[in-house]
Amino acid sequence: MSLWCDKHRPKTLNTLDYHKEQADQLKKLVHSEDFPHLLVYGPNGAGKKTRIMCSLKELYGPGVEKLRIERQQFETPSKKTIEMTTLASNYHIEINASDAGIYDRIVIQEMIKTIAQTNQLDAQTQKSFKVIVLTEVDKLTKDAQHALRRTMEKYMNSCRLILCCNSTSRVIPAVRSRCLSLRVPAPTADQIAMILKQTCKTEGLNLPQELANKIALKSNRNLRRALLMCETAYVAHYPFTNDQEISEPDWELFLRETARQIVQQQSVDRIVQIRDRLYELLCHCIPADIIFKGLLKELLTICDGQLKPQIVEIAADMEHKMNLGDKQIFYLEAFVVKFMSIYKKHLEFSLAGCI
Amino acid sequence: MKSTSPKKSSKIDKLSSDENTSPVRKPNTMMMNWLSKSASKKTDDDSKLKNSDSNAQKDKNLKVELKKTEKTSPKADFKKKTIRISDSSDDEDPSPIKLKSKKEKPAPKNTKIEDDDEDDFEVSKKPSKKSAAKSTETPKEKEKEAPKKGANKFYAAYMRREGPKNPGSKPIPIGKKDCFDGLKFLITGVLDSLDRDESKRIIEKYGGSIISGVTKKLDYLIVGDDAGESKLQKARELNVKQINEDEFLQLICTKSGITNPKYENQDVEMMDMDEQVNSEPVKQEQKIEKAPTPKKEKQTPVKDQKSVIKQSPKEVKEIKIESIKNESTVKKDDSKISNELWVDKYKPQAMNKIIGQGTEKSNANKLFNWLKNWQKWHASSDSKAKKPWNDQDTGSSFKAALLSGPPGIGKTTTAQVVCKEAGYTYIELNASDSRSKKLLDKVLGESTETASLDSYFKGKHKVTDLNKDKHCVIMDEVDGMAGNEDRGGVQELIQIIKQSKIPLICICNDRQHVKIRSLANHCFDLRFYKPRLEQVRAALMSVCFKEGIKITGELLDQIITGCNYDIRQCMHNLSMWSSNNKVLTSTQGSKIDIEKAMKDVRMNPFEACKLVFNSDPSNPKAPKNIIEKMDLFFTDYSLMPLLIQENYLSVVPNNLKGTTKKQKDLNHLELLKDSIESMCQGDRVSRLLRTNNNWSLLPTQAVFSSYIPGEKLNGHIGLPAFPSWFGKNSKQGRVDRILQELQKHMRIHISANKIGVGMDYLSVLKNMLTKPLIQKGTDGISSVINIMNEYSLTRDDFDTIVELGTWPGQKDPMTMIDSKVKASFTRTYNKESHKNPFTIVNIKKIKATKTSEDAYGEEEDGVEDDNEEEEDDDITADAMIKVNTKSKAKATTAASKSTTKSTSVKRSAKSTDDVEAKPSASKKKKT
């Protein structure tokens, strides 16, 4: 009894629900003589990995679905042992090199190179190459990405790389130019609503259109989240009703409450409280940029129209600076303090104007 | 007092001739002034000359000449000195030039200054008082030279008399305590070296008292120059003993039972005797009561002049040549006078003299008691039989003591003095000795298990009783045992402590050091703290007084705080600053020095953080300019930015603009904004400098991270808090690892990466896993396990999901699950075998905190025990068998049970009988 989002995941390129054009292109690409390196990018929950798996199945047949988890150990020059967990079938291997942290370069150099160097043993397979799926490429260090460059060219015969990431902005141009970039945009709200309805149908449930739309909107165009929310809603209350409450992820609620507190009061004590909440979010491994986005979204809905540009500017500025800096809490806090300062000043002036 | 001996008369002749050959003195007072000064210089030279004595004796030629009288006695020194003076008189040409040349030689400090202090008038009096009184008088007058008559003659000067002519020129002997007990003194006239207050102090110190008038009760009348005639008269009538200053000093010796010829009367009759007496050199420190050290002998000008009188003419010629030769060696020996550091000079000799250790509960006292009782506690061979109670107050269970505290507050001194007082001889090992494992074992190992021979050599010891033979080891600077040289030293030390038969005293600065912490567990922990300001001040004041330094209390306080209560450093600083000038005032350049000395005090980051925000000018430590403020950042450049970020919010700024509270708040927010903005900038700089190793950017970071926030938010701050960033950061890292592990477990079934897992799956999974257990109880277990199997989750993952999925303000779902349900859930999960596509790594290692896991385990065990007890009720009664119940639970028949049981309890004598008897008993109970 797995969750719907995993249970009803499309297995082949044909059964994909949206971006069908792209699916067709992929199919053609697979069957063409020359399968290039791929760089698949797009937001979370858009279906990148689903598409990759579909393509692989198209390439090698159902054998790719027999997955196993393997562990490998490496030793860094500084005698530190790193353990890497990989997901592999007979035809492909999936690695998240960024798991190794700052030692990702060694993973790239040692592991990927060895895999790439070896040829396929089974000559009967359709393809003469195997595939390495590298996830979270944008989290790789620059060094690791550079290490990737040469491997990509040199072992073209024996292996193909499929890189998977959220944004290409942090992938070095040299790597980008060696791949066929494939953008997987997030599905639209309509598409999500449609998929939700379909899924419910296959589950033998009846999902009202209105609720489907509501969930789609709330899901922030993240299909995975939408499906999970839908299922939670089903567990919470069935049969569905249109005005049914949709439970959102806890961290989102927490973030919203944080934003509310910022607006509620602007004082030093409050900043201290907010700092604790921000730490809490960071400790739950919520990425700082998502915190920024969430806060900004909530703050903008609350604050006055003429402040909006200013606040967006601050948020953008701080988020950018955060990526240049070290400690995320500094920048989150700076954003909060700045917002408070501006907001309070604005309040005072408008109050003075009233009087 | 009769000068009938030819020696004496001849001497006086010479002296008088000396006087006559310098007619210049009388008419010209100016010249006299100069001359008298140079004369005193000359006497200074004499004193040096005397110091050169030892060198001179090395000269063989001289020895030949000296054979007759010369011995290593101070008396001999006197002779030599007098020789030089008489030398000039022999030549009958005491030319000023010669004097001048002698004057060029550096004179000892003390006397020089005192010379300078003398005003013209007094100096002009001098010849008449000093040399004239003793030399220019006719022989007849000399006979009456007893103070009373001399005073009579110069009665006119009485009204104008000043303080002592040669203050501090005579050594004050150390007498026994209360040696003047009950004695009554009266001082009349001006004493030669002691002023009234000083002599009064001496008398009172030794238990005597001073009365104001001459009565019958009076024991001694101390007579100086210009003594009051009426008092002398009355004293004579009442038959009160009259003594002069020298006699007085001698009295201290005689009363306390010390024979010291130096203080014997300068009578003519005594002269010959004096020459025969070869006494040991006596300590000659001025105004300092201390154990005698021959090195520091210092001759006084007065003595010299007086010894002139004593000198016999015969000897004069004999030693004449030698004295001239001696002059060349004078300079060298000058350094000997003060080559001992003050710290050593004024080192406390008794336990109650140690600063801050005088009280009953002081560390020194604790250590003393500990040492005293050590043998009692640890010497007994059957140590196990009566192991002393572990008492932190007395440290009775410890074989070693650990003294810890900042430098310069007397740890080593305490250890040494206490050892001495407790009657222990000690071996001291410090950082200057190599202290590796091997060497320690060798040196200490031997000494800890053997007895000291010290007492044998001293001849005191007769009985070879180990217990009475007290010795101990002082391990100084234990925290210095580091590096390759001393590797394993601390471990070895701990081993030695365990086996030691003698007490060990370890001394260190930093008790929190990793190495010391292991040692501290085996030691009686005595922590030394910085003494209070008053304590240090009092001690330093007395040193200043003894050294003749005039210093204001305020300045002294500054020095003490500047040195951070480091007594040793205070002494060094005082010694250095006073080397130029005996009068220290705060207006002098020394203030700058104090400020300089202050900077060297190490600051901890918390103090620095405080100072960043609080640059109150009244605080002497507060930074004054941008450079000093930036220096604060460098106390710990990696910690300071975090500290400042953590604490900038708690600053209450001083000067907030605006009149109303609202305006002030706004202004405060504005300042906070500027500060955090600047700190962000600093953070980016820090990233730059760390990634590129561009450390020259550090000052830039200092400005952004520390200086600007400090300037913006200048105000009051409480105790700075430790940055929470460290804890949060490590927690973030831990959660990251756990999520990664979780994602790996589920990877086959899901497509999300670890962030996706954290953000989307976690809350859903948490609900899916806990809700059935909460709502349906045990019926929900199967569905939960189903989900877990589907996603290849382990039992640990279950806890992880619940832990990570719970946010503050939410109720922990685990508390809502009935404990029985929890237990049966765990049991059911463990019973089933789970096919996981991965090998299970122990997440417990990764998990820092485990809360619920253990509780389940126990409950589960309890339930299982219950079940088993129900199943096999026949064994429950036997305690021995209960251990094996688990394995037996699976046994099917009662018969097989009994057999396994009997085999397992073979060792027990009452095996079968008991077993058979007890089951029946328990069955009976049941029915």
Side-chain angles (χ1 to χ4, degrees):
Chain A
M1 189 189 112
S2 57
L3 299 166
W4 293 351
C5 64
D6 303 314
K7 201 160 144 194
H8 303 291
R9 190 196 310 279
K11 295 278 194 297
T12 60
L13 286 172
N14 291 331
T15 52
L16 289 174
D17 294 302
Y18 53 96
H19 307 325
K20 295 205 167 167
E21 215 174 297
Q22 194 185 45
D24 284 342
Q25 280 173 352
L26 265 175
K27 205 169 178 181
K28 279 176 196 158
L29 200 68
V30 166
H31 292 295
S32 72
E33 281 303 302
D34 188 28
F35 184 79
H37 296 305
L38 285 182
L39 174 63
V40 184
Y41 63 99
N44 276 331
K48 295 184 295 298
K49 279 192 193 137
T50 308
R51 248 149 259 264
I52 290 169
M53 285 310 288
C54 291
S55 313
L56 285 174
K57 195 174 180 187
E58 195 72 36
L59 262 175
Y60 298 109
V64 287
E65 281 171 359
K66 284 181 184 163
L67 293 169
R68 59 184 183 273
I69 290 175
E70 287 169 349
R71 276 171 188 271
Q72 291 191 35
Q73 283 195 335
F74 299 91
E75 200 172 76
T76 63
S78 55
K79 302 285 173 207
K80 190 179 184 237
T81 346
I82 307 164
E83 203 174 67
M84 286 296 297
T85 312
T86 60
L87 187 75
S89 74
N90 287 335
Y91 309 102
H92 86 287
I93 184 163
E94 188 186 310
I95 303 164
N96 186 356
S98 63
D99 283 351
I102 55 165
Y103 301 106
D104 53 359
R105 188 174 58 89
I106 294 146
V107 174
I108 299 280
Q109 282 173 341
E110 300 284 323
M111 198 168 173
I112 296 181
K113 228 161 115 186
T114 15
I115 297 165
Q117 277 168 340
T118 49
N119 284 315
Q120 285 282 58
L121 283 173
D122 191 1
Q124 301 304 312
T125 49
Q126 292 109 311
K127 299 291 171 188
S128 61
F129 57 85
K130 59 198 158 188
V131 172
I132 300 173
V133 180
L134 271 181
T135 56
E136 297 184 42
V137 181
D138 48 356
K139 298 238 172 72
L140 289 182
T141 58
K142 290 275 181 297
D143 283 349
Q145 293 190 29
H146 283 295
L148 207 55
R149 278 162 59 166
R150 188 75 187 128
T151 318
M152 288 172 85
E153 280 177 0
K154 207 172 171 185
Y155 306 105
M156 191 71 184
N157 303 337
S158 54
C159 90
R160 297 287 188 278
L161 284 170
I162 297 180
L163 311 179
C164 180
C165 62
N166 281 359
S167 156
T168 50
S169 63
R170 263 168 252 153
V171 180
I172 57 168
V175 171
R176 255 187 287 169
S177 83
R178 283 168 171 79
C179 304
L180 176 70
S181 296
L182 201 70
R183 177 164 177 263
V184 184
T188 60
D190 290 342
Q191 283 166 336
I192 289 177
M194 189 195 76
I195 293 165
L196 287 178
K197 283 205 79 166
Q198 246 177 26
T199 315
C200 284
K201 216 172 158 186
T202 45
E203 284 281 322
L205 309 166
N206 182 26
L207 180 73
Q209 183 65 42
E210 231 173 286
L211 186 68
N213 288 343
K214 229 165 104 182
I215 293 173
L217 267 178
K218 287 249 182 188
S219 71
N220 209 9
R221 291 179 71 192
N222 182 336
L223 184 58
R224 180 189 303 130
R225 194 176 298 166
L227 280 164
L228 285 167
M229 279 156 92
C230 184
E231 190 170 358
T232 328
Y234 157 70
V235 173
H237 192 267
Y238 189 81
F240 292 115
T241 54
N242 274 334
D243 52 353
Q244 171 172 11
E245 200 193 325
I246 301 153
S247 72
E248 287 170 273
D250 294 328
W251 63 268
E252 252 186 23
L253 296 174
F254 192 81
L255 193 58
R256 195 166 301 151
E257 173 62 20
T258 311
R260 204 184 55 76
Q261 287 189 2
I262 295 173
V263 177
Q264 195 181 48
Q265 191 192 331
Q266 292 83 34
S267 69
V268 180
D269 296 341
R270 188 46 66 91
I271 298 173
V272 176
Q273 289 165 14
I274 298 294
R275 180 198 282 173
D276 283 344
R277 293 183 77 88
L278 290 175
Y279 266 133
E280 194 63 43
L281 280 163
L282 286 174
C283 282
H284 276 79
C285 281
I286 307 296
D289 54 336
I290 286 177
I291 301 176
F292 259 119
K293 251 186 240 170
L295 279 182
L296 182 65
K297 200 175 147 197
E298 293 304 319
L299 292 176
L300 284 181
T301 55
I302 300 163
C303 76
D304 202 87
Q306 62 191 102
L307 286 180
K308 281 177 182 171
Q310 214 179 338
I311 290 164
V312 173
E313 191 198 328
I314 295 170
D317 181 45
M318 281 346 267
E319 204 259 359
H320 169 67
K321 284 176 176 168
M322 180 185 72
N323 287 322
L324 300 175
D326 252 343
K327 296 170 185 85
Q328 295 168 330
I329 188 72
F330 277 59
Y331 300 91
L332 286 169
E333 195 173 300
F335 171 62
V336 171
V337 174
K338 280 186 162 189
F339 173 82
M340 280 188 175
S341 172
I342 289 169
Y343 189 73
K344 187 155 192 176
K345 206 182 276 174
H346 177 76
L347 276 187
E348 294 296 316
F349 277 121
S350 52
L351 272 177
C354 288
I355 298 159
Chain B
M1 287 194 189
K2 289 170 186 175
S3 62
T4 44
S5 84
K7 279 179 192 172
K8 178 77 183 176
S9 61
S10 66
K11 192 203 292 172
I12 289 164
D13 282 342
K14 254 172 210 151
L15 283 166
S16 56
S17 70
D18 182 17
E19 191 66 25
N20 294 333
T21 47
S22 56
V24 195
R25 279 188 199 176
K26 274 174 185 171
N28 191 341
T29 45
M30 282 297 283
M31 195 58 182
M32 269 162 69
N33 189 357
W34 180 83
L35 270 174
S36 61
K37 275 194 178 181
S38 55
S40 67
K41 292 278 143 50
K42 202 167 87 176
T43 53
D44 290 343
D45 293 345
D46 292 345
S47 66
K48 277 178 262 163
L49 204 149
K50 184 196 144 265
N51 284 314
S52 73
D53 181 30
S54 55
N55 272 11
Q57 284 175 10
K58 286 170 192 167
D59 195 330
K60 277 188 180 178
N61 296 335
L62 292 180
K63 261 192 179 167
V64 177
E65 287 180 344
L66 288 168
K67 62 194 173 207
K68 210 173 169 186
T69 51
E70 191 68 3
K71 279 161 198 170
T72 55
S73 74
K75 285 295 158 198
D77 298 342
F78 294 160
K79 283 166 217 157
K80 269 181 271 163
K81 259 157 269 144
T82 53
I83 291 152
R84 213 164 46 70
I85 297 167
S86 51
D87 170 29
S88 58
S89 61
D90 278 357
D91 295 341
E92 300 211 328
D93 184 26
S95 69
I97 297 152
K98 193 174 180 182
L99 286 170
K100 215 176 186 176
S101 69
K102 281 173 185 169
K103 192 188 175 183
E104 278 165 12
K105 285 168 193 162
K109 280 174 228 157
N110 284 346
T111 27
K112 188 184 178 181
I113 287 156
E114 282 150 16
D115 279 348
D116 292 343
D117 287 344
E118 284 170 350
D119 56 39
D120 285 358
F121 174 68
E122 200 196 344
V123 173
S124 62
K125 274 201 308 195
K126 242 182 173 172
S128 59
K129 267 188 182 177
K130 233 199 278 173
S131 48
K134 289 169 185 172
S135 328
T136 54
E137 285 170 27
T138 60
K140 276 169 208 165
E141 275 171 337
K142 180 67 198 168
E143 280 176 59
K144 300 171 194 167
E145 212 243 327
K148 39 186 176 177
K149 287 188 179 172
N152 197 9
K153 194 170 184 183
F154 299 100
Y155 184 65
Y158 173 67
M159 298 306 286
R160 296 167 292 167
R161 68 178 178 189
E162 302 273 341
K165 291 179 292 292
N166 301 298
S169 59
K170 287 180 193 169
I172 297 160
I174 302 171
K176 267 187 197 155
K177 218 177 164 185
D178 302 331
C179 61
F180 283 174
D181 200 18
L183 294 180
K184 292 188 172 54
F185 293 85
L186 179 64
I187 303 166
T188 177
V190 180
L191 299 180
D192 193 41
S193 72
L194 302 168
D195 66 9
R196 279 289 170 94
D197 288 342
E198 214 174 341
S199 39
K200 195 178 166 194
R201 194 177 55 81
I202 293 168
I203 289 166
E204 280 169 355
K205 185 180 154 193
Y206 292 118
S209 59
I210 290 187
I211 54 174
S212 53
V214 183
T215 61
K216 272 190 173 176
K217 285 177 184 171
L218 186 67
D219 295 299
Y220 293 100
L221 179 66
I222 303 169
V223 184
D225 292 335
D226 306 338
E229 188 56 43
S230 61
K231 279 180 185 151
L232 295 172
Q233 195 71 43
K234 205 173 179 189
R236 252 172 277 153
E237 284 166 13
L238 292 170
N239 210 6
V240 174
K241 198 170 181 186
Q242 293 180 21
I243 52 172
N244 64 18
E245 192 193 44
D246 293 313
E247 286 168 323
F248 166 67
L249 294 175
Q250 180 61 32
L251 191 68
I252 299 174
C253 295
T254 48
K255 284 281 176 190
S256 42
I258 306 163
T259 49
N260 191 343
K262 191 147 257 184
Y263 300 101
E264 279 176 32
N265 223 335
Q266 308 280 340
D267 285 348
V268 184
E269 294 97 327
M270 306 255 313
M271 246 218 24
D272 290 345
M273 241 171 67
D274 276 356
E275 284 172 17
Q276 285 154 16
V277 174
N278 289 325
S279 68
E280 284 178 2
V282 175
K283 188 204 83 175
Q284 301 264 328
E285 277 174 40
Q286 296 179 0
K287 301 179 192 172
I288 299 152
E289 289 97 11
K290 242 208 109 186
T293 39
K295 262 188 209 169
K296 266 181 263 165
E297 269 185 59
K298 206 184 217 173
Q299 201 45 58
T300 64
V302 181
K303 272 265 179 332
D304 298 341
Q305 290 212 342
K306 284 186 178 170
S307 54
V308 170
I309 305 165
K310 290 189 285 184
Q311 193 55 55
S312 67
K314 272 186 211 163
E315 288 160 13
V316 169
K317 279 189 179 172
E318 282 178 15
I319 315 170
K320 190 168 142 190
I321 310 152
E322 178 225 24
S323 68
I324 294 162
K325 282 186 181 173
N326 271 352
E327 282 178 15
S328 58
T329 56
V330 162
K331 273 188 184 173
K332 276 185 206 164
D333 287 28
D334 197 23
S335 60
K336 273 193 178 177
I337 294 169
S338 60
N339 62 356
E340 198 178 15
L341 291 174
W342 287 10
V343 221
D344 298 323
K345 203 160 147 189
Y346 298 107
K347 199 171 190 172
Q349 300 297 323
M351 230 164 76
N352 55 2
K353 294 273 172 61
I354 303 169
I355 299 173
Q357 304 293 333
T359 57
E360 193 61 33
K361 287 200 165 180
S362 68
N363 283 330
N365 236 318
K366 280 186 189 170
L367 188 67
F368 180 72
N369 291 331
W370 176 79
L371 266 183
K372 276 270 173 202
N373 292 318
W374 200 90
Q375 299 292 349
K376 195 174 79 192
W377 286 329
H378 298 288
S380 57
S381 51
D382 52 342
S383 54
K384 271 187 186 172
K386 33 183 173 173
K387 201 158 191 184
W389 175 252
N390 185 354
D391 188 358
Q392 268 303 332
D393 244 23
T394 58
S396 49
S397 65
F398 298 109
K399 283 180 149 187
L402 178 69
L403 316 186
S404 57
I409 56 168
K411 296 181 299 296
T412 310
T413 309
T414 308
Q416 288 169 349
V417 170
V418 167
C419 282
K420 220 169 81 185
E421 296 218 343
Y424 278 81
T425 53
Y426 59 84
I427 303 168
E428 192 182 332
L429 288 174
N430 55 32
S432 61
D433 309 308
S434 180
R435 292 178 292 189
S436 67
K437 193 175 185 315
K438 239 188 199 171
L439 277 164
L440 265 187
D441 197 23
K442 207 171 158 191
V443 176
L444 283 189
E446 282 168 8
S447 61
T448 49
E449 286 163 17
T450 50
S452 165
L453 285 175
D454 195 27
S455 44
Y456 295 96
F457 290 123
K458 280 179 184 164
K460 290 175 192 166
H461 208 281
K462 298 262 163 75
V463 195
T464 51
D465 184 4
L466 248 174
N467 286 347
K468 279 186 182 173
D469 218 8
K470 290 167 159 187
H471 60 169
C472 72
V473 174
I474 297 178
M475 290 290 297
D476 208 347
E477 297 149 34
V478 198
D479 43 0
M481 288 172 99
N484 287 327
E485 293 296 309
D486 296 343
R487 182 144 295 167
V490 170
Q491 288 314 311
E492 180 61 22
L493 189 59
I494 293 172
Q495 281 306 311
I496 287 172
I497 287 171
K498 282 180 185 162
Q499 293 155 10
S500 173
K501 288 176 186 166
I502 61 166
L504 279 108
I505 299 172
C506 305
I507 302 173
C508 69
N509 286 134
D510 185 7
R511 211 199 143 274
Q512 298 305 319
H513 198 279
V514 195
K515 282 181 290 186
I516 302 304
R517 258 185 278 167
S518 56
L519 178 68
N521 293 331
H522 303 271
C523 294
F524 178 29
D525 193 11
L526 291 171
R527 298 186 197 190
F528 282 69
Y529 299 101
K530 287 175 195 166
R532 277 178 293 118
L533 180 66
E534 305 89 69
Q535 292 173 323
V536 186
R537 185 172 50 202
L540 287 186
M541 275 297 195
S542 81
V543 171
C544 287
F545 177 73
K546 285 171 188 168
E547 288 289 339
I549 299 164
K550 281 172 191 158
I551 188 165
T552 60
E554 183 202 10
L555 184 68
L556 198 58
D557 286 358
Q558 277 182 26
I559 292 174
I560 294 163
T561 45
C563 297
N564 207 16
Y565 303 95
D566 183 335
I567 302 162
R568 177 165 43 203
Q569 204 184 352
C570 285
M571 298 268 262
H572 285 322
N573 283 345
L574 269 180
S575 148
M576 183 181 76
W577 289 318
S578 64
S579 61
N580 291 332
N581 198 340
K582 289 274 169 195
V583 183
L584 289 174
T585 57
S586 49
T587 50
Q588 273 177 344
S590 59
K591 193 167 187 183
I592 301 157
D593 290 336
I594 292 164
E595 276 165 11
K596 275 180 191 162
M598 230 185 272
K599 272 187 190 169
D600 294 329
V601 176
R602 228 182 112 88
M603 213 184 292
N604 76 33
F606 292 93
E607 280 171 46
C609 176
K610 228 174 162 174
L611 288 179
V612 163
F613 292 115
N614 190 359
S615 50
D616 187 3
S618 64
N619 185 349
K621 278 183 181 177
K624 279 159 196 72
N625 49 38
I626 182 167
I627 293 168
E628 287 187 20
K629 281 177 185 175
M630 278 166 69
D631 274 348
L632 291 174
F633 174 79
F634 286 97
T635 45
D636 188 336
Y637 55 77
S638 51
L639 185 63
M640 280 303 280
L642 288 165
L643 258 177
I644 289 168
Q645 189 260 344
E646 182 73 29
N647 292 297
Y648 79 104
L649 289 176
S650 49
V651 179
V652 183
N654 282 335
N655 309 311
L656 282 178
K657 276 182 242 158
T659 45
T660 59
K661 191 182 175 294
K662 274 185 181 175
Q663 277 176 319
K664 281 191 174 177
D665 283 353
L666 257 182
N667 193 247
H668 192 185
L669 273 179
E670 197 73 17
L671 290 176
L672 291 178
K673 190 184 91 178
D674 293 345
S675 314
I676 186 77
E677 173 103 60
S678 166
M679 280 185 253
C680 288
Q681 184 77 40
D683 183 59
R684 268 168 282 153
V685 174
S686 129
R687 157 100 175 236
L688 261 183
L689 69 86
R690 274 164 212 275
T691 47
N692 301 338
N693 275 333
N694 197 352
W695 293 94
S696 59
L697 284 174
L698 261 188
T700 318
Q701 201 200 344
V703 171
F704 282 122
S705 293
S706 162
Y707 177 70
I708 292 178
E711 285 299 286
K712 291 278 177 196
L713 292 164
N714 190 1
H716 173 75
I717 182 173
L719 191 69
F722 186 77
S724 51
W725 184 85
F726 288 103
K728 304 289 182 190
N729 192 44
S730 77
K731 192 182 172 193
Q732 192 180 352
R734 183 176 71 91
V735 170
D736 189 71
R737 276 199 313 277
I738 291 174
L739 274 181
Q740 191 176 312
E741 198 67 29
L742 200 61
Q743 193 255 351
K744 287 281 146 59
H745 287 179
M746 310 203 308
R747 177 62 192 92
I748 285 183
H749 313 283
I750 64 168
S751 64
N753 57 17
K754 87 184 151 199
I755 288 168
V757 169
M759 283 171 32
D760 298 331
Y761 276 97
L762 216 54
S763 51
V764 177
L765 274 178
K766 188 192 79 175
N767 285 337
M768 301 281 281
L769 292 177
T770 53
K771 273 215 174 119
L773 292 179
I774 296 167
Q775 286 164 355
K776 294 185 220 158
T778 41
D779 299 335
I781 291 174
S782 61
S783 69
V784 170
I785 289 183
N786 209 347
I787 296 172
M788 285 173 71
N789 284 340
E790 193 62 47
Y791 281 102
S792 324
L793 295 172
T794 63
R795 182 65 182 77
D796 285 336
D797 289 336
F798 178 90
D799 293 331
T800 309
I801 288 169
V802 172
E803 189 200 328
L804 293 186
T806 311
W807 287 76
Q810 284 181 345
K811 212 177 170 191
D812 184 3
M814 292 313 279
T815 58
M816 294 192 283
I817 301 173
D818 190 39
S819 61
K820 271 185 188 167
V821 179
K822 262 191 266 183
S824 72
F825 163 65
T826 313
R827 202 166 44 243
T828 338
Y829 180 84
N830 288 343
K831 251 181 206 166
E832 291 174 23
S833 63
H834 305 279
K835 282 182 199 163
N836 285 331
F838 48 84
T839 52
I840 294 171
V841 273
N842 195 3
I843 302 185
K844 280 176 199 168
K845 264 191 217 163
I846 301 169
K847 282 174 79 175
T849 53
K850 269 202 332 112
T851 47
S852 43
E853 176 86 359
D854 289 3
Y856 305 150
E858 279 165 30
E859 280 159 25
E860 176 198 326
D861 283 348
V863 174
E864 274 177 358
D865 280 351
D866 286 342
N867 294 342
E868 280 151 20
E869 275 169 45
E870 280 164 30
E871 281 170 38
D872 40 17
D873 47 351
D874 51 339
I875 334 172
T876 45
D878 198 315
M880 294 287 289
I881 295 158
K882 211 177 181 181
V883 187
N884 289 328
T885 44
K886 271 190 187 176
S887 60
K888 273 158 237 155
K890 280 165 192 168
T892 44
T893 59
S896 67
K897 268 181 214 165
S898 62
T899 49
T900 48
K901 191 188 353 166
S902 56
T903 49
S904 65
V905 204
K906 258 178 194 170
R907 279 190 296 142
S908 147
K910 43 177 180 177
S911 57
T912 43
D913 291 316
D914 273 9
V915 170
E916 274 167 15
K918 277 181 183 168
S920 58
S922 61
K923 267 174 190 169
K924 271 175 202 167
K925 269 178 205 166
K926 269 213 158 182
T927 52

